Amino acid sequence: MANLRFQVVEEAFKKKPLEVAAPTERPSEYFGKYVFTRSKMYKYLQRDVYEKLINAIDNGAPLDRSIADDVARGMQQWAEENGVTHYTHWFQPLTEGTAEKHDAFIEHDGKGGMIEEFSGKLLVQQEPDASSFPNGGIRATFEARGYSAWDPTSPVFIIDDTLCIPTIFISYTGEALDYKAPLKRALRAVGEAAASVARYFDPNVKKVVSNLGWEQEYFLVDEGLYSARPDLMLTGRTLMGHDSAKNQQMDDHYFGTIPDRVQAFMKDLEVQALELAIPCKTRHNEVAPNQFELAPIYEETNLAVDHNMLLMSLMKKVARKHGFRVLLHEKPFDGINGSGKHNNWSLSTDTGVLLHAPGKTPEQNLRFVVFVVETLMGVWRHNGLLKASIMSATNAHRLGANEAPPAIISSFLGKQVSELLDHIEKADKEDLFAMAGKQTVELDIPEIPELLIDNTDRNRTSPFAFTGNRFEFRAPGSEGNCASAMIALNTAVAEALTRFKQRVDSLIANGQDQTSAIIDVLREDIKTCKPIHFDGNGYSDEWVEEATRRGLDVEKSCPLIFDRYLDTETIEMFESMGVMNRKELKARNEVKWETYTKKIQIEARVLGDLTMNHIIPVATHYQSRLAKNVKSMLDIFPQDEALKLCSRNMDIIREIAERVQTIETMVEELVEARKVANKIGTEREKAIAYHDTVAPKMEEIRYHIDKLELTVADELWTLPKYRELLFIR
């Protein structure tokens, strides 16, 4: 068994970068090659059909179902020209992944043969089994019917021989069973609320769009080493493993030269992503060894979410081609940085970015402040919900670990914006909104041009930081669906903007002029949302105490954090904004609690199996070898001298015996804790039991296993170690 580990390590060392033929065209020429883009719509659709479809996409006009057959014919013609034989409705159930069922373009021709056919009916909807996906009790096992319905705002695309049609997924009784349906409702709500407020400053504003730019962090490990770690294969993270003597403490990996094998993978991934119209922009080494990041140009939020889900699937496929496995778990390795998925969020109109400052006029600066403050109002009022939206059994390992945002939602604004808000709150109404542009820094190096300094610094400890023309929500995890955070954030901001407008309109109706009314309400909100504003060190113990005094949510238990979805103010917000109803929220929480329990349950079972089948046999084998050595020494030397010479080996024998006994006892306790938790009737209480009684025992077992790893002879240890997993290229 030990030789197998050395063999896979040796093979990993020998691997060379895979030669991949690069496209001869420039990226702009193959961008969107396998996407039914507007130019392709224009080519394959009749003019009136094209105009109706574009009107539905751009302006939210009801889609005329009568054009579905014409659209389907155009899609089929384009798809078949690209070798497509099947189609699927591509949707995002509550599994954090995507789902698809492939059907062929064939029907009976009535003459004993077949024809290739794809009708508008097949384009518009399909019927997946709604009881076979997580639904939180909305669908019983015998109540199978559910519907996937075409989302025309997200273009169809081709993967291999299949036409993929982005869709929503709802139950037979109309409740959302996915992420896309409530996300689209949330985006509609924030768009309408933001446009109403934006028209105070520019009556010509037609619509407001929510934008998202995600940053996807991930780890790569050699496929052979991955296969030799059952915990990585089954849980996505290492349940045991002592840290390497060298990990990230030298800060030499961040932005370092990308290893050749990784570079080849990245090039291949980028080409395929660009062909699917995913606008990949940035790639680099991240802080931890074997950790990397990919980030696109920002897009409309619904499309950005689709592209992120598609990219995560594509990454896994391309990585295997290059002899890697992608790890998207938020904390696959203990003791080094985990992976997040920073969500850069903003609002823009058809006339500009609402969060951009400084403006050219006082009115533009006033608009900027209004949208910043009302965003803060939404985050303040629902800070616990925002934390719940990004919380999971996997992301809980990362948050608050002094390398990711703390598990307390607060917002960093930077010195200039902070001072501006303080000034508005306290000063006279005249001359309130003068904001400096970017300052310059002159370097005493003639060859280097002057630097433009942004109006805000960055705060890596802030979960929700203002970074110049957007807010960066840094708490989402690398494995999760961005839609969860975007549903909560956009709905919270929509509610805040709606309330803002209602109060301003009330003052105007009572005879106050518009600008004065806006400033009065703005001042109230600046005072109200102050608790969410924090520019200090989010990792400090003092901040936890201060956040508690401010009334912010400081809960750390994942199952209890999910309770925020069922708070009265949360339900009222989602229902008033038309995003989700009480039944949908309750069902989603059932799914969240059940998913949490299952993940910890699987980890506990894997840990128990590895402990009994790998760790203890290896440790006792080494112990037996040492015992033979002691016995041989006693046969050769006088007893007193032999015992003195063998004292170290005897200490190791004793340590192994004690740790093995402790581990065996703890594994028995772990199994018993699971049995007790499994008998609990409600999903919430079961999840709490797994959090409070099962997960802590796993950490205790790991501590002793990691100590054994340092004790047992390296040649006997069967599982690849951190120094091998993290430093093999």
Side-chain angles (χ1 to χ4, degrees):
M1 291 299 294
N3 290 335
L4 176 60
R5 171 183 149 224
F6 293 135
Q7 180 182 340
V8 295
V9 171
E10 184 179 5
E11 290 175 353
F13 268 121
K14 292 179 179 178
K15 286 183 180 176
K16 303 296 182 183
L18 181 67
E19 293 292 335
V20 178
T24 56
E25 314 101 312
R26 293 176 298 175
S28 59
E29 295 175 317
Y30 60 82
F31 181 77
K33 178 180 180 180
Y34 296 117
V35 179
F36 198 56
T37 58
R38 295 190 182 211
S39 62
K40 298 185 180 79
M41 293 179 194
Y42 190 82
K43 176 181 178 181
Y44 288 92
L45 302 180
Q46 298 175 10
R47 181 65 57 84
D48 62 325
V49 172
Y50 170 82
E51 291 176 351
K52 289 179 180 179
L53 181 56
I54 294 300
N55 189 34
I57 294 171
D58 287 347
N59 303 315
L63 184 64
D64 187 348
R65 188 153 180 160
S66 64
I67 70 170
D69 283 334
D70 293 321
V71 174
R73 278 193 294 271
M75 284 183 182
Q76 182 184 4
Q77 182 182 350
W78 167 71
E80 289 182 336
E81 289 175 5
N82 283 276
V84 168
T85 57
H86 290 68
Y87 67 93
T88 183
H89 275 202
W90 183 82
F91 58 97
Q92 300 167 28
L94 303 177
T95 59
E96 303 302 327
T98 58
E100 53 197 65
K101 173 175 70 77
H102 297 199
D103 288 309
F105 285 142
I106 59 171
E107 294 291 341
H108 287 296
D109 65 357
K111 303 174 183 177
M114 53 154 281
I115 57 174
E116 290 77 21
E117 184 174 277
F118 181 54
S119 66
K121 179 181 178 181
L122 299 176
L123 166 65
V124 169
Q125 72 179 61
Q126 275 189 332
E127 188 183 323
D129 187 340
S131 66
S132 296
F133 291 99
N135 60 69
I138 286 179
R139 297 267 80 191
T141 303
F142 62 89
E143 296 173 326
R145 197 180 297 276
Y147 298 108
S148 55
W150 174 39
D151 172 18
T153 64
S154 188
V156 301
F157 55 91
I158 294 172
I159 296 290
D160 297 325
D161 64 352
T162 304
L163 180 70
C164 300
I165 305 161
T167 63
I168 64 170
F169 180 40
I170 60 173
S171 73
Y172 178 69
T173 47
E175 294 87 3
L177 297 176
D178 68 343
Y179 284 107
K180 181 182 276 284
L183 175 64
K184 290 185 69 65
R185 295 173 191 154
L187 297 178
R188 180 198 62 219
V190 77
E192 292 175 353
S196 296
V197 173
R199 292 187 189 108
Y200 282 142
F201 310 99
D202 183 357
N204 296 317
V205 169
K206 295 179 181 178
K207 67 176 183 178
V208 172
V209 174
S210 167
N211 299 311
L212 170 63
W214 40 264
E215 303 169 19
Q216 180 70 58
E217 295 176 342
Y218 61 96
F219 282 85
L220 288 176
V221 297
D222 186 84
E223 188 166 30
L225 297 170
Y226 171 89
S227 299
R229 289 287 307 226
D231 49 352
L232 271 182
M233 293 178 64
L234 297 176
T235 73
R237 75 179 182 106
T238 53
L239 300 176
M240 59 193 70
H242 200 281
D243 60 344
S244 172
K246 179 185 183 297
N247 46 54
Q248 66 188 47
Q249 66 264 49
M250 298 300 296
D251 300 320
D252 55 347
H253 190 257
Y254 190 50
F255 281 17
T257 302
I258 299 172
D260 290 343
R261 278 184 68 196
V262 177
Q263 181 89 335
F265 157 76
M266 287 180 169
K267 288 180 180 179
D268 198 0
L269 175 63
E270 284 183 7
V271 169
Q272 295 190 44
L274 290 169
E275 289 177 336
L276 290 168
I278 304 172
C280 298
K281 176 74 172 178
T282 302
R283 67 189 186 201
H284 63 82
N285 287 3
E286 255 300 333
V287 174
N290 273 19
Q291 187 186 33
F292 308 94
E293 180 179 298
L294 181 152
I297 302 170
Y298 77 90
E299 301 177 280
E300 183 274 327
T301 297
N302 178 50
L303 181 59
V305 169
D306 282 0
H307 278 167
N308 181 246
M309 298 304 293
L310 178 56
L311 180 90
M312 289 194 292
S313 177
L314 188 63
M315 289 172 75
K316 296 173 184 177
K317 177 181 176 182
V318 176
R320 296 197 67 175
K321 176 181 172 184
H322 289 260
F324 287 119
R325 286 296 185 116
V326 167
L327 303 182
L328 294 175
H329 192 290
E330 283 78 7
K331 195 75 169 177
F333 302 103
D334 192 41
I336 61 174
N337 280 17
S339 296
K341 180 150 50 192
H342 302 173
N343 282 199
N344 294 280
W345 172 88
S346 67
L347 295 172
S348 64
T349 73
D350 43 323
T351 60
V353 179
L354 292 174
L355 297 175
H356 183 71
K360 296 180 180 179
T361 66
E363 289 77 15
Q364 290 176 339
N365 285 332
L366 176 57
R367 182 190 69 179
F368 162 77
V369 174
V370 165
F371 277 93
V372 167
V373 171
E374 294 313 309
T375 298
L376 294 178
M377 283 292 289
V379 175
W380 167 75
R381 186 175 287 117
H382 298 288
N383 67 93
L385 172 66
L386 287 174
K387 181 165 64 176
S389 74
I390 54 85
M391 185 54 70
S392 67
T394 54
N395 203 22
H397 290 285
R398 165 180 165 263
L399 295 180
N402 280 13
E403 40 88 1
I408 302 170
I409 302 298
S410 64
S411 184
F412 166 84
L413 299 178
K415 180 179 179 181
Q416 187 178 15
V417 177
S418 298
E419 290 178 348
L420 174 63
L421 297 190
D422 289 339
H423 179 60
I424 294 171
E425 179 187 348
K426 300 169 185 176
D428 294 332
K429 291 184 180 179
E430 291 76 17
D431 195 28
L432 285 177
F433 298 101
M435 291 189 68
K438 289 187 177 181
Q439 300 174 342
T440 63
V441 171
E442 295 183 3
L443 302 175
D444 190 21
I445 307 174
E447 297 85 0
I448 304 298
E450 65 180 10
L451 302 180
L452 293 178
I453 303 302
D454 288 292
N455 292 323
T456 64
D457 198 351
R458 289 183 180 268
N459 185 329
R460 293 180 59 84
T461 73
S462 177
F464 195 77
F466 182 69
T467 57
N469 60 1
R470 64 193 183 277
F471 282 94
E472 183 180 15
F473 194 9
R474 301 185 70 247
S478 57
E479 190 175 55
N481 190 323
C482 295
S484 182
M486 291 296 100
I487 291 166
L489 176 60
N490 283 285
T491 308
V493 174
E495 181 193 52
L497 290 168
T498 299
R499 291 186 177 188
F500 174 83
K501 187 173 190 304
Q502 290 170 347
R503 291 150 61 209
V504 170
D505 287 350
S506 177
L507 293 178
I508 294 173
N510 289 327
Q512 197 168 342
D513 71 272
Q514 178 175 291
T515 300
S516 178
I518 290 173
I519 293 174
D520 283 348
V521 175
L522 189 60
R523 282 176 154 173
E524 292 177 7
D525 288 351
I526 289 174
K527 294 178 183 177
T528 300
C529 69
K530 268 189 174 181
I532 204 68
H533 176 199
F534 179 66
D535 286 358
N537 180 8
Y539 294 157
S540 68
D541 294 335
E542 292 78 11
W543 168 231
V544 178
E545 297 174 3
E546 174 63 21
T548 303
R549 286 193 293 270
R550 294 185 184 194
L552 302 182
D553 191 309
V554 298
E555 180 60 59
K556 295 182 179 179
S557 167
C558 185
L560 294 180
I561 289 170
F562 292 150
D563 286 346
R564 301 289 72 78
Y565 271 99
L566 300 179
D567 288 344
T568 300
E569 57 268 27
T570 299
I571 296 173
E572 289 177 351
M573 177 194 75
F574 278 122
E575 290 189 334
S576 66
M577 294 295 103
V579 175
M580 285 187 282
N581 59 38
R582 184 185 301 267
K583 183 178 180 181
E584 289 172 313
L585 290 167
K586 286 184 176 180
R588 281 165 190 265
N589 257 32
E590 289 293 308
V591 172
K592 289 177 181 293
W593 285 317
E594 184 179 11
T595 300
Y596 178 87
T597 296
K598 287 179 177 178
K599 290 205 172 196
I600 305 300
Q601 185 182 70
I602 291 170
E603 288 186 350
R605 294 177 65 182
V606 172
L607 179 62
D609 290 346
L610 283 177
T611 297
M612 304 309 293
N613 295 321
H614 283 260
I615 306 305
I616 291 179
V618 168
T620 53
H621 178 60
Y622 183 55
Q623 185 185 46
S624 298
R625 178 189 290 184
L626 294 177
K628 289 180 181 179
N629 174 264
V630 171
K631 187 175 184 303
S632 297
M633 296 291 280
L634 287 169
D635 291 340
I636 298 173
F637 297 99
Q639 183 174 356
D640 290 345
E641 185 178 358
L643 292 176
K644 184 178 179 180
L645 293 172
C646 297
S647 61
R648 182 178 179 276
N649 281 356
M650 292 177 67
D651 288 342
I652 295 174
I653 291 170
R654 183 176 293 106
E655 179 187 351
I656 291 175
E658 290 172 351
R659 291 200 186 280
V660 165
Q661 184 178 20
T662 300
I663 290 171
E664 288 178 334
T665 300
M666 287 183 172
V667 169
E668 291 175 1
E669 293 174 354
L670 178 67
V671 172
E672 185 59 31
R674 278 181 21 228
K675 290 179 179 179
V676 171
N678 290 340
K679 294 177 182 178
I680 298 175
T682 67
E683 293 298 341
R684 178 181 182 275
E685 297 305 316
K686 186 185 297 184
I688 292 172
Y690 264 87
H691 176 275
D692 293 348
T693 65
V694 177
K697 294 185 186 302
M698 293 171 60
E699 291 303 311
E700 294 174 8
I701 294 170
R702 176 178 187 146
Y703 171 81
H704 290 283
I705 291 175
D706 290 354
K707 290 296 183 181
L708 283 178
E709 181 182 323
L710 292 178
T711 304
V712 173
D714 184 64
E715 67 186 54
L716 299 180
W717 200 257
T718 58
L719 302 176
K721 298 183 176 183
Y722 272 24
R723 67 171 185 261
E724 297 156 351
L725 290 165
L726 290 169
F727 294 96
I728 299 290
R729 304 303 187 202

